[in-house]
Amino acid sequence: MTGESVLSRVVRILEAFDPENPALRLSVVARRSDLHIATASRLVNEMVGLGLLARDPDRRIRIGVRLWELASRTSPTLGLREAAMPFLEDLHDVVGHHTQLAVLGGREALFVERLSAPGGIVNITRIAGRLPLHASSGGLVLLAHADPDLQEEILAGALTRYTPQTPHSAQQVRVLLAEIRRTGYVFCPGYIDPAAAGIAAPIRDGTGQVVAALGAVLPNDAHARAQISAVRAAARGVSRALGQAL
Amino acid sequence: MTGESVLSRVVRILEAFDPENPALRLSVVARRSDLHIATASRLVNEMVGLGLLARDPDRRIRIGVRLWELASRTSPTLGLREAAMPFLEDLHDVVGHHTQLAVLGGREALFVERLSAPGGIVNITRIAGRLPLHASSGGLVLLAHADPDLQEEILAGALTRYTPQTPHSAQQVRVLLAEIRRTGYVFCPGYIDPAAAGIAAPIRDGTGQVVAALGAVLPNDAHARAQISAVRAAARGVSRALGQAL
């Protein structure tokens, strides 16, 4: 084996798929993963044989059910998700629209669960989707309790502005993070979409460490703030459930 | 590279983890995946480097968040899951206990979603868990609409008996399958646990093909049958939603 390892090529193949493109032709897989078509073909065939990928009747390739199963049955977020689900459901019954659960995934918020109402307000998160830490309510809660090195790295980087309301200076974000640590929640009116407001609160494990953020996305109107208490109470419920499970 | 491929060894390593053992020492990973400790160590290190596995502070190894993300963001069952979730939630509000969604995973029913009430009746399924096709309500619905070759293979194999109520002869299962195709649902009182009853109905995609089973698990008492209509209605709702999405 020369140069790059088989496994890093396999990861590049898996990275070729995204929610807008869940099924790809071999030539597109090869291009997106920057592999020779012969190499891509050989690896894809082997991955299909092992169930890591699947081939549709039209020969397009997608993620295999077996890979999903292997990754999900002992997923590192499964305990969190199972502890959170009853609270997400209760919150969803009360708030409507969207309730969701985020963890730190590298330098972004990774959404590991979401409940949505048909016709709920616009919400760009999806399950296994990502949002920047400085602009999303879940991300801000996670950033407020993250390693100081990560905080400095994010504050020193590009703070993309989605709307005029998005916090876009390091100073603005610093003030928000301090406020989150003091109050235990964040309220984000129109930070990502002018029509939507996000609310999030931290989930702590039995040792008191923040391990996730629980949030709601709802219409950005005069009623949005009224749901802050419900989000905070749900996050506390999940924290208590996690603590008891330890 | 001689003999077995890197990728099949990687799959064996992923298979070493299960819900009862989500975090394993390297020596246990090596033993369970039948690899030399040096080979296991090298592969595990590379997988940790790529985020496919993660190492706990106590050096135990578990599935990495990155692998979960790659497998989940374009999961083949995500569209189904998203279409089904509002109906699973409504059904869960009405029936309580457990509502769940199963697809065919090889020769077993693979559960891709579950909503559970704290204190709900005993239910051995879990997310990404499996149950035999002949004994579970979801499995029977999937088997009733599966390829005839798979049906014959299951009927010719061992039909494990969990309780005196479990269908355990090929003839019993054949009668059940015909009844499911005729009536559009199955009612399974005490097939897996004497205390629990399962109900399931098929979910069809826009082409009319059965792609999943939607079900409920509730106490095995005189009221259980009263929920059959609610399960059937929810399965029809998901089918309609899937058909519109095509």
Side-chain angles (χ1 to χ4, degrees):
Chain A
M1 218 164 24
T2 60
E4 199 194 24
S5 75
V6 170
L7 207 46
S8 61
R9 288 176 179 158
V10 162
V11 170
R12 288 227 306 277
I13 289 175
L14 295 177
E15 287 171 340
F17 301 89
D18 65 55
E20 281 73 35
N21 302 280
L24 299 173
R25 305 204 166 278
L26 177 63
S27 57
V28 181
V29 172
R31 180 162 45 77
R32 289 185 160 216
S33 54
D34 196 21
L35 292 172
H36 283 289
I37 187 95
T39 309
S41 172
R42 184 173 47 77
L43 282 172
V44 164
N45 281 341
E46 189 181 354
M47 291 169 80
V48 169
L50 291 165
L52 304 180
L53 296 177
R55 199 173 263 129
D56 283 352
D58 69 358
R59 299 198 54 78
R60 288 196 302 172
I61 299 148
R62 52 174 76 234
I63 298 292
V65 173
R66 179 75 179 140
L67 180 64
W68 174 84
E69 179 184 6
L70 288 172
S72 300
R73 63 179 186 169
T74 65
S75 157
T77 62
L78 193 58
L80 170 66
R81 190 185 167 288
E82 295 205 326
M85 205 50 150
F87 297 94
L88 276 177
E89 285 181 65
D90 289 346
L91 185 63
H92 191 228
D93 284 348
V94 173
V95 175
H97 300 281
H98 312 276
T99 57
Q100 51 201 30
L101 190 64
V103 301
L104 200 58
R107 296 182 296 179
E108 292 167 305
L110 175 65
F111 288 83
V112 297
E113 192 49 76
R114 189 189 65 179
L115 296 179
S116 291
I121 188 70
V122 56
N123 179 0
I124 66 171
T125 66
R126 13 175 133 231
I127 292 169
R130 290 169 167 268
L131 279 180
L133 293 171
H134 75 281
S136 59
S137 55
L140 282 161
V141 164
L142 294 167
L143 188 60
H145 298 281
D147 191 283
D149 289 350
L150 178 66
Q151 292 177 355
E152 291 311 318
E153 188 185 331
I154 297 295
L155 290 170
L159 300 171
T160 305
R161 208 166 168 181
Y162 295 89
T163 73
Q165 277 64 53
T166 313
H168 58 284
S169 78
Q171 183 52 24
Q172 274 180 303
V173 177
R174 262 187 229 285
V175 169
L176 264 174
L177 298 185
E179 200 176 298
I180 291 166
R181 284 188 294 263
R182 189 172 57 77
T183 63
Y185 72 91
V186 70
F187 177 66
C188 305
Y191 285 14
I192 290 185
D193 186 295
I199 304 170
I203 294 175
R204 295 174 188 275
D205 67 11
T207 71
Q209 205 185 337
V210 172
V211 292
L214 183 147
V217 174
L218 59 171
N220 184 16
D221 61 23
H223 306 293
R225 275 192 170 273
Q227 306 296 348
I228 292 173
S229 301
V231 171
R232 296 184 65 192
R236 280 176 178 272
V238 180
S239 302
R240 194 177 58 246
L242 277 182
Q244 287 165 350
L246 281 184
Chain B
M1 219 167 21
T2 58
E4 199 192 21
S5 76
V6 171
L7 207 46
S8 62
R9 287 175 180 158
V10 163
V11 170
R12 290 228 303 276
I13 288 176
L14 295 176
E15 288 172 338
F17 301 88
D18 65 57
E20 281 73 35
N21 302 280
L24 299 173
R25 305 202 166 278
L26 178 63
S27 57
V28 180
V29 172
R31 180 161 45 77
R32 288 186 161 215
S33 52
D34 196 22
L35 293 171
H36 284 288
I37 187 95
T39 308
S41 173
R42 184 172 49 75
L43 282 172
V44 163
N45 282 341
E46 189 180 354
M47 291 169 80
V48 169
L50 292 166
L52 304 181
L53 296 176
R55 199 174 261 128
D56 284 351
D58 70 358
R59 300 198 53 78
R60 287 195 303 172
I61 299 149
R62 51 174 76 234
I63 296 292
V65 174
R66 180 75 179 139
L67 180 64
W68 175 84
E69 180 184 3
L70 288 171
S72 300
R73 64 179 186 169
T74 64
S75 157
T77 62
L78 194 58
L80 169 67
R81 190 185 167 288
E82 296 205 325
M85 205 51 150
F87 296 95
L88 276 178
E89 285 182 66
D90 288 347
L91 184 64
H92 191 228
D93 284 349
V94 173
V95 175
H97 300 281
H98 313 277
T99 57
Q100 53 202 28
L101 191 64
V103 300
L104 201 57
R107 295 182 296 180
E108 291 166 307
L110 175 65
F111 288 83
V112 296
E113 193 49 76
R114 188 190 64 179
L115 296 179
S116 290
I121 188 69
V122 57
N123 179 1
I124 66 171
T125 66
R126 15 175 133 231
I127 292 169
R130 290 170 166 267
L131 279 181
L133 292 172
H134 76 281
S136 59
S137 56
L140 282 161
V141 164
L142 293 167
L143 188 58
H145 298 281
D147 191 281
D149 288 350
L150 178 65
Q151 292 179 353
E152 291 310 318
E153 187 185 331
I154 297 296
L155 291 169
L159 299 171
T160 304
R161 207 166 170 180
Y162 294 89
T163 73
Q165 277 65 51
T166 313
H168 58 283
S169 77
Q171 183 52 24
Q172 275 180 302
V173 177
R174 263 187 227 284
V175 169
L176 265 172
L177 298 184
E179 200 175 299
I180 291 166
R181 285 188 295 263
R182 188 172 58 79
T183 62
Y185 73 91
V186 69
F187 178 67
C188 306
Y191 283 15
I192 290 184
D193 187 295
I199 305 170
I203 294 175
R204 295 174 188 275
D205 68 11
T207 71
Q209 204 185 338
V210 172
V211 292
L214 184 148
V217 175
L218 60 170
N220 184 15
D221 60 24
H223 307 294
R225 274 192 170 275
Q227 306 296 348
I228 290 172
S229 300
V231 171
R232 296 184 65 191
R236 279 175 177 271
V238 180
S239 301
R240 194 178 55 246
L242 277 183
Q244 287 164 352
L246 279 187

